[in-house]
Amino acid sequence: MRTHCPELDALTRHVRSFAAMLTGRQGEHLPEWLDAVRQDDLPSLHTLAAGIDRDRDAVIAGLTLPWNSGVVEGHVNRIKMLKRQMFGRAGFALLRKRVLLAR
């Protein structure tokens, strides 16, 4: 299928190279990846590249540095789930109690 559709082949190459950059923590290759994306006629990837360019330094840091906010995001998601479960049922005092006891 990729041999008959050059756009699909280019998209596959870009996605795979971004995945390799992500898993290998190779954020220093991001500018070259963005240039390669812009050279192909793939509007959806151009939109992604424009979004990455708006905060390029943060994206490079996220692709390079070993630190992440996964634990914090997990707690935020857990608290949001508890809040959704209690919607319209009780006030802040009960929500606080459930958050503290749900560990």
Side-chain angles (χ1 to χ4, degrees):
M1 186 175 213
R2 287 176 38 200
T3 58
H4 297 296
C5 182
E7 291 86 8
L8 186 59
D9 187 46
L11 179 66
T12 302
R13 272 188 291 106
H14 291 310
V15 169
R16 285 185 177 168
S17 63
F18 189 82
M21 191 172 26
L22 180 66
T23 57
R25 294 193 190 275
Q26 301 169 343
E28 65 274 2
H29 298 302
L30 183 66
E32 295 92 27
W33 184 84
L34 289 171
D35 291 339
V37 164
R38 286 191 189 96
Q39 290 175 4
D40 288 327
D41 185 26
L42 299 167
S44 58
L45 279 185
H46 291 182
T47 304
L48 174 67
I52 288 173
D53 264 337
R54 279 183 288 226
D55 206 0
R56 182 185 281 214
D57 292 336
V59 175
I60 290 173
L63 290 172
T64 308
L65 301 174
W67 304 290
N68 66 57
S69 60
V71 174
V72 173
E73 291 297 325
H75 289 301
V76 168
N77 284 335
R78 180 177 53 86
I79 290 170
K80 284 183 177 181
M81 180 200 58
L82 288 170
K83 184 179 172 187
R84 278 192 298 270
Q85 288 174 345
M86 292 180 49
F87 182 76
R89 294 194 180 113
F92 180 75
L94 183 58
L95 175 61
R96 182 177 183 275
K97 214 172 242 187
R98 284 201 61 193
V99 167
L100 292 175
L101 294 175
R103 292 182 180 247

